Amino acid sequence: MAYIILANAPYSLEERYGTLSSVGATLPHLGLLSLGAVLRKEGHRVRIADASAQGLGYEQSIEETKNFHPDIIALTAVTPSIIKTVKLASMMKEIYPNVPVVIGGPHFTAVPEQTLSDYSVFDYGVVGEGEDTIVDLVAKLSSGRTPLNVPGIAFHKNGEVTFTPPRPTIKDLDALPFPAWDLLDGFPSQYHPALFKYQRLPATHIVSARGCPNKCIFCDTSVFSRKIRFHSPEYILEMIGYLVKNFGIKEIIFEDDQFLIKKERVTKICEGLLNTGWGISWCCSARVNSVNDLALLKLMKQSGCWQISYGIESGNQKILDFAQKGITIDQIESAVRLTHEAGILSKGYFIFGLPYETEKTMENTISLAKGIPLNDMSVFTLTPFPGSKMYTIAEQYGTIDKDFEKMNLLEVVYVPTGLSKERLLYYQRRFMKEFYLRPRILGNYLKRLLANPLNFLNMIKAFTGFIKSVLGEQKTTR
């Protein structure tokens, strides 16, 4: 038996959400929860220090580590948090110089050789899905053996980064235990989604499928691959039942990339939710080209679905085609209108700054969003993350700042040819102002507030953050 600490480095709400930090999400890291579950199943002792979700600083994270006396330290990182993860790992290594430090997660999987070459504090890295690999790696390390034959890892050997053969993706997701929510201090009361991403508390998020078969050039699918795999409806319903009965959860956020890709499965989940009588509410994400069945949408609504989020990205077909979205403007309009007809709210995600973006195409996008019955939206400037196709071709179409800490979706790190950072920010703020400051949208938010008066203070905080965001406009106009 080994003592293993699973940690996520401090990454504050201010760093993640900027002016909207007061209403940002503090949901637990599902990857750490899943790793904790499989390691515990193997008989190991596990401690989760999710500093990002729990609001811990470096010293508090170190205290968590010292109190646990780990035999193995395992960390995860996204691109904007990799430098913070290096700092935390270095602090841990000072205290426990002989304890192996393992790194995994999206950033490492995207650029494993670069990560181990640049940061010698990491002894081993897990490439791709971590559950099977971490179990085998811990078994070797805890018995004092060198894990040379563990598939799916990378490590230092003779001054170079060495890779073992890749590990196949997990085929039977139902074989995995439920995420180890019980290992979290204060779950679920101390964890919540971002404001307007839930209707009721306590709420949490789950993943019901892994992988995405689509080819969008701005997405990194290196961890879960492009091969989609599903939990069965029975597994998902049992997991939701576990959350309801053991933690009083009232709302579920499905974090799948594409929840509606398998309609028969969605139907079974909806029917199961209706039959149980739990009365939970839920929301999900979907692609617009998978939404063409009003009867299914109405069933979703009946079973508790209140919002669907769509990756719309642009209102210009040339940009959508270049980004390999595989969708059309007509499909965007149809999906949002069908969602509205079913009585479900819709949220659109947009990106400014893809190759071939111009001021005219950004105006196209703003016009599209205002012309369809969207209820909510978020607009970001393009961030070409490591592991995405866009990262490899970025310099052919513009200029990129490869400072990982700036790749936080708040700062402009990529400017396509023909535009400037100032104009991207101007149109981003203009979009937010023109979309939200309309009677229909303001009225919708008032209804949501009246339905849940407890959110009044948070609504004021959100509105204050919104005003701070759009007021920057005067500084960025020509």
PDB file of all heavy atoms in Angstrom, residues 123-146:
ATOM      1  N   ASP A 123       9.599  13.579 -12.332  1.00  0.00           N
ATOM      2  CA  ASP A 123      10.326  12.324 -12.571  1.00  0.00           C
ATOM      3  C   ASP A 123       9.665  11.470 -13.642  1.00  0.00           C
ATOM      4  O   ASP A 123      10.352  10.827 -14.440  1.00  0.00           O
ATOM      5  CB  ASP A 123      10.418  11.532 -11.259  1.00  0.00           C
ATOM      6  CG  ASP A 123      11.141  12.305 -10.177  1.00  0.00           C
ATOM      7  OD1 ASP A 123      12.317  12.656 -10.398  1.00  0.00           O
ATOM      8  OD2 ASP A 123      10.529  12.570  -9.125  1.00  0.00           O
ATOM      9  N   TYR A 124       8.342  11.465 -13.639  1.00  0.00           N
ATOM     10  CA  TYR A 124       7.584  10.655 -14.602  1.00  0.00           C
ATOM     11  C   TYR A 124       6.393  11.460 -15.111  1.00  0.00           C
ATOM     12  O   TYR A 124       5.875  12.330 -14.408  1.00  0.00           O
ATOM     13  CB  TYR A 124       7.071   9.354 -13.950  1.00  0.00           C
ATOM     14  CG  TYR A 124       8.163   8.475 -13.405  1.00  0.00           C
ATOM     15  CD1 TYR A 124       8.540   8.575 -12.065  1.00  0.00           C
ATOM     16  CD2 TYR A 124       8.819   7.567 -14.218  1.00  0.00           C
ATOM     17  CE1 TYR A 124       9.549   7.773 -11.548  1.00  0.00           C
ATOM     18  CE2 TYR A 124       9.840   6.760 -13.715  1.00  0.00           C
ATOM     19  CZ  TYR A 124      10.199   6.889 -12.388  1.00  0.00           C
ATOM     20  OH  TYR A 124      11.215   6.090 -11.884  1.00  0.00           O
ATOM     21  N   GLY A 125       5.974  11.129 -16.316  1.00  0.00           N
ATOM     22  CA  GLY A 125       4.789  11.751 -16.866  1.00  0.00           C
ATOM     23  C   GLY A 125       3.848  10.708 -17.420  1.00  0.00           C
ATOM     24  O   GLY A 125       4.289   9.693 -17.987  1.00  0.00           O
ATOM     25  N   VAL A 126       2.552  10.924 -17.240  1.00  0.00           N
ATOM     26  CA  VAL A 126       1.518  10.020 -17.755  1.00  0.00           C
ATOM     27  C   VAL A 126       0.936  10.644 -19.017  1.00  0.00           C
ATOM     28  O   VAL A 126       0.409  11.754 -18.977  1.00  0.00           O
ATOM     29  CB  VAL A 126       0.415   9.788 -16.706  1.00  0.00           C
ATOM     30  CG1 VAL A 126      -0.749   8.990 -17.317  1.00  0.00           C
ATOM     31  CG2 VAL A 126       0.980   9.070 -15.492  1.00  0.00           C
ATOM     32  N   VAL A 127       1.033   9.929 -20.130  1.00  0.00           N
ATOM     33  CA  VAL A 127       0.552  10.415 -21.415  1.00  0.00           C
ATOM     34  C   VAL A 127      -0.849   9.857 -21.680  1.00  0.00           C
ATOM     35  O   VAL A 127      -1.043   8.644 -21.685  1.00  0.00           O
ATOM     36  CB  VAL A 127       1.500  10.002 -22.558  1.00  0.00           C
ATOM     37  CG1 VAL A 127       1.002  10.563 -23.893  1.00  0.00           C
ATOM     38  CG2 VAL A 127       2.922  10.478 -22.272  1.00  0.00           C
ATOM     39  N   GLY A 128      -1.824  10.736 -21.895  1.00  0.00           N
ATOM     40  CA  GLY A 128      -3.175  10.297 -22.217  1.00  0.00           C
ATOM     41  C   GLY A 128      -4.003   9.999 -20.982  1.00  0.00           C
ATOM     42  O   GLY A 128      -3.753  10.523 -19.887  1.00  0.00           O
ATOM     43  N   GLU A 129      -5.005   9.142 -21.153  1.00  0.00           N
ATOM     44  CA  GLU A 129      -5.866   8.765 -20.018  1.00  0.00           C
ATOM     45  C   GLU A 129      -5.026   8.155 -18.899  1.00  0.00           C
ATOM     46  O   GLU A 129      -4.156   7.326 -19.145  1.00  0.00           O
ATOM     47  CB  GLU A 129      -6.913   7.751 -20.479  1.00  0.00           C
ATOM     48  CG  GLU A 129      -8.044   8.353 -21.261  1.00  0.00           C
ATOM     49  CD  GLU A 129      -9.048   7.304 -21.700  1.00  0.00           C
ATOM     50  OE1 GLU A 129      -8.650   6.303 -22.304  1.00  0.00           O
ATOM     51  OE2 GLU A 129     -10.240   7.509 -21.453  1.00  0.00           O
ATOM     52  N   GLY A 130      -5.341   8.546 -17.669  1.00  0.00           N
ATOM     53  CA  GLY A 130      -4.434   8.196 -16.592  1.00  0.00           C
ATOM     54  C   GLY A 130      -4.789   7.013 -15.726  1.00  0.00           C
ATOM     55  O   GLY A 130      -3.933   6.508 -14.991  1.00  0.00           O
ATOM     56  N   GLU A 131      -6.044   6.536 -15.760  1.00  0.00           N
ATOM     57  CA  GLU A 131      -6.467   5.566 -14.745  1.00  0.00           C
ATOM     58  C   GLU A 131      -5.654   4.280 -14.754  1.00  0.00           C
ATOM     59  O   GLU A 131      -5.097   3.873 -13.719  1.00  0.00           O
ATOM     60  CB  GLU A 131      -7.964   5.254 -14.914  1.00  0.00           C
ATOM     61  CG  GLU A 131      -8.890   6.371 -14.469  1.00  0.00           C
ATOM     62  CD  GLU A 131      -9.181   7.373 -15.564  1.00  0.00           C
ATOM     63  OE1 GLU A 131      -8.547   7.279 -16.651  1.00  0.00           O
ATOM     64  OE2 GLU A 131     -10.029   8.251 -15.363  1.00  0.00           O
ATOM     65  N   ASP A 132      -5.593   3.598 -15.888  1.00  0.00           N
ATOM     66  CA  ASP A 132      -4.851   2.327 -15.944  1.00  0.00           C
ATOM     67  C   ASP A 132      -3.358   2.557 -15.756  1.00  0.00           C
ATOM     68  O   ASP A 132      -2.666   1.775 -15.093  1.00  0.00           O
ATOM     69  CB  ASP A 132      -5.108   1.622 -17.274  1.00  0.00           C
ATOM     70  CG  ASP A 132      -6.531   1.089 -17.395  1.00  0.00           C
ATOM     71  OD1 ASP A 132      -7.225   1.005 -16.362  1.00  0.00           O
ATOM     72  OD2 ASP A 132      -6.941   0.759 -18.526  1.00  0.00           O
ATOM     73  N   THR A 133      -2.860   3.656 -16.326  1.00  0.00           N
ATOM     74  CA  THR A 133      -1.423   3.934 -16.253  1.00  0.00           C
ATOM     75  C   THR A 133      -0.983   4.243 -14.837  1.00  0.00           C
ATOM     76  O   THR A 133       0.055   3.743 -14.374  1.00  0.00           O
ATOM     77  CB  THR A 133      -1.071   5.108 -17.189  1.00  0.00           C
ATOM     78  OG1 THR A 133      -1.482   4.789 -18.518  1.00  0.00           O
ATOM     79  CG2 THR A 133       0.427   5.365 -17.186  1.00  0.00           C
ATOM     80  N   ILE A 134      -1.747   5.056 -14.114  1.00  0.00           N
ATOM     81  CA  ILE A 134      -1.344   5.431 -12.762  1.00  0.00           C
ATOM     82  C   ILE A 134      -1.353   4.216 -11.836  1.00  0.00           C
ATOM     83  O   ILE A 134      -0.492   4.078 -10.960  1.00  0.00           O
ATOM     84  CB  ILE A 134      -2.230   6.564 -12.192  1.00  0.00           C
ATOM     85  CG1 ILE A 134      -1.548   7.219 -10.977  1.00  0.00           C
ATOM     86  CG2 ILE A 134      -3.611   6.079 -11.810  1.00  0.00           C
ATOM     87  CD1 ILE A 134      -0.358   8.060 -11.328  1.00  0.00           C
ATOM     88  N   VAL A 135      -2.285   3.300 -12.044  1.00  0.00           N
ATOM     89  CA  VAL A 135      -2.321   2.086 -11.222  1.00  0.00           C
ATOM     90  C   VAL A 135      -1.060   1.259 -11.435  1.00  0.00           C
ATOM     91  O   VAL A 135      -0.414   0.811 -10.470  1.00  0.00           O
ATOM     92  CB  VAL A 135      -3.588   1.259 -11.541  1.00  0.00           C
ATOM     93  CG1 VAL A 135      -3.477  -0.154 -10.971  1.00  0.00           C
ATOM     94  CG2 VAL A 135      -4.831   1.944 -10.986  1.00  0.00           C
ATOM     95  N   ASP A 136      -0.681   1.059 -12.695  1.00  0.00           N
ATOM     96  CA  ASP A 136       0.532   0.277 -12.991  1.00  0.00           C
ATOM     97  C   ASP A 136       1.788   1.005 -12.524  1.00  0.00           C
ATOM     98  O   ASP A 136       2.721   0.380 -11.984  1.00  0.00           O
ATOM     99  CB  ASP A 136       0.637   0.007 -14.497  1.00  0.00           C
ATOM    100  CG  ASP A 136      -0.410  -0.975 -14.992  1.00  0.00           C
ATOM    101  OD1 ASP A 136      -1.099  -1.570 -14.146  1.00  0.00           O
ATOM    102  OD2 ASP A 136      -0.525  -1.134 -16.225  1.00  0.00           O
ATOM    103  N   LEU A 137       1.830   2.318 -12.730  1.00  0.00           N
ATOM    104  CA  LEU A 137       3.006   3.092 -12.331  1.00  0.00           C
ATOM    105  C   LEU A 137       3.197   3.068 -10.824  1.00  0.00           C
ATOM    106  O   LEU A 137       4.308   2.857 -10.327  1.00  0.00           O
ATOM    107  CB  LEU A 137       2.853   4.535 -12.835  1.00  0.00           C
ATOM    108  CG  LEU A 137       3.975   5.512 -12.503  1.00  0.00           C
ATOM    109  CD1 LEU A 137       5.306   5.030 -13.074  1.00  0.00           C
ATOM    110  CD2 LEU A 137       3.639   6.915 -13.020  1.00  0.00           C
ATOM    111  N   VAL A 138       2.119   3.273 -10.079  1.00  0.00           N
ATOM    112  CA  VAL A 138       2.212   3.261  -8.621  1.00  0.00           C
ATOM    113  C   VAL A 138       2.619   1.875  -8.112  1.00  0.00           C
ATOM    114  O   VAL A 138       3.410   1.755  -7.166  1.00  0.00           O
ATOM    115  CB  VAL A 138       0.870   3.700  -8.000  1.00  0.00           C
ATOM    116  CG1 VAL A 138       0.812   3.356  -6.506  1.00  0.00           C
ATOM    117  CG2 VAL A 138       0.664   5.198  -8.210  1.00  0.00           C
ATOM    118  N   ALA A 139       2.114   0.823  -8.744  1.00  0.00           N
ATOM    119  CA  ALA A 139       2.491  -0.538  -8.338  1.00  0.00           C
ATOM    120  C   ALA A 139       3.994  -0.745  -8.459  1.00  0.00           C
ATOM    121  O   ALA A 139       4.624  -1.331  -7.565  1.00  0.00           O
ATOM    122  CB  ALA A 139       1.738  -1.559  -9.187  1.00  0.00           C
ATOM    123  N   LYS A 140       4.572  -0.253  -9.532  1.00  0.00           N
ATOM    124  CA  LYS A 140       6.022  -0.391  -9.729  1.00  0.00           C
ATOM    125  C   LYS A 140       6.796   0.467  -8.729  1.00  0.00           C
ATOM    126  O   LYS A 140       7.730  -0.007  -8.078  1.00  0.00           O
ATOM    127  CB  LYS A 140       6.396   0.034 -11.152  1.00  0.00           C
ATOM    128  CG  LYS A 140       5.877  -0.879 -12.253  1.00  0.00           C
ATOM    129  CD  LYS A 140       6.672  -2.165 -12.342  1.00  0.00           C
ATOM    130  CE  LYS A 140       6.253  -2.963 -13.568  1.00  0.00           C
ATOM    131  NZ  LYS A 140       6.997  -4.239 -13.689  1.00  0.00           N
ATOM    132  N   LEU A 141       6.422   1.738  -8.646  1.00  0.00           N
ATOM    133  CA  LEU A 141       7.171   2.651  -7.787  1.00  0.00           C
ATOM    134  C   LEU A 141       7.081   2.269  -6.317  1.00  0.00           C
ATOM    135  O   LEU A 141       8.070   2.350  -5.578  1.00  0.00           O
ATOM    136  CB  LEU A 141       6.660   4.080  -7.987  1.00  0.00           C
ATOM    137  CG  LEU A 141       6.905   4.712  -9.362  1.00  0.00           C
ATOM    138  CD1 LEU A 141       6.248   6.085  -9.444  1.00  0.00           C
ATOM    139  CD2 LEU A 141       8.394   4.816  -9.657  1.00  0.00           C
ATOM    140  N   SER A 142       5.894   1.850  -5.882  1.00  0.00           N
ATOM    141  CA  SER A 142       5.726   1.516  -4.463  1.00  0.00           C
ATOM    142  C   SER A 142       6.463   0.242  -4.063  1.00  0.00           C
ATOM    143  O   SER A 142       6.724   0.022  -2.879  1.00  0.00           O
ATOM    144  CB  SER A 142       4.232   1.380  -4.127  1.00  0.00           C
ATOM    145  OG  SER A 142       3.640   0.352  -4.882  1.00  0.00           O
ATOM    146  N   SER A 143       6.807  -0.573  -5.045  1.00  0.00           N
ATOM    147  CA  SER A 143       7.573  -1.795  -4.749  1.00  0.00           C
ATOM    148  C   SER A 143       9.066  -1.615  -5.025  1.00  0.00           C
ATOM    149  O   SER A 143       9.829  -2.568  -4.965  1.00  0.00           O
ATOM    150  CB  SER A 143       7.033  -2.960  -5.586  1.00  0.00           C
ATOM    151  OG  SER A 143       7.208  -2.706  -6.969  1.00  0.00           O
ATOM    152  N   GLY A 144       9.449  -0.373  -5.361  1.00  0.00           N
ATOM    153  CA  GLY A 144      10.865  -0.084  -5.563  1.00  0.00           C
ATOM    154  C   GLY A 144      11.403  -0.473  -6.927  1.00  0.00           C
ATOM    155  O   GLY A 144      12.621  -0.447  -7.138  1.00  0.00           O
ATOM    156  N   ARG A 145      10.522  -0.818  -7.865  1.00  0.00           N
ATOM    157  CA  ARG A 145      10.986  -1.227  -9.193  1.00  0.00           C
ATOM    158  C   ARG A 145      10.924  -0.056 -10.173  1.00  0.00           C
ATOM    159  O   ARG A 145      10.099   0.829 -10.042  1.00  0.00           O
ATOM    160  CB  ARG A 145      10.127  -2.378  -9.716  1.00  0.00           C
ATOM    161  CG  ARG A 145      10.280  -3.691  -8.927  1.00  0.00           C
ATOM    162  CD  ARG A 145       9.281  -4.733  -9.404  1.00  0.00           C
ATOM    163  NE  ARG A 145       7.920  -4.377  -9.001  1.00  0.00           N
ATOM    164  CZ  ARG A 145       6.825  -4.972  -9.455  1.00  0.00           C
ATOM    165  NH1 ARG A 145       6.931  -5.950 -10.351  1.00  0.00           N
ATOM    166  NH2 ARG A 145       5.635  -4.599  -9.032  1.00  0.00           N
ATOM    167  N   THR A 146      11.786  -0.089 -11.173  1.00  0.00           N
ATOM    168  CA  THR A 146      11.781   0.948 -12.210  1.00  0.00           C
ATOM    169  C   THR A 146      10.690   0.614 -13.226  1.00  0.00           C
ATOM    170  O   THR A 146      10.650  -0.497 -13.752  1.00  0.00           O
ATOM    171  CB  THR A 146      13.138   1.005 -12.925  1.00  0.00           C
ATOM    172  OG1 THR A 146      14.170   1.216 -11.960  1.00  0.00           O
ATOM    173  CG2 THR A 146      13.174   2.144 -13.925  1.00  0.00           C
TER     174      THR A 146
END
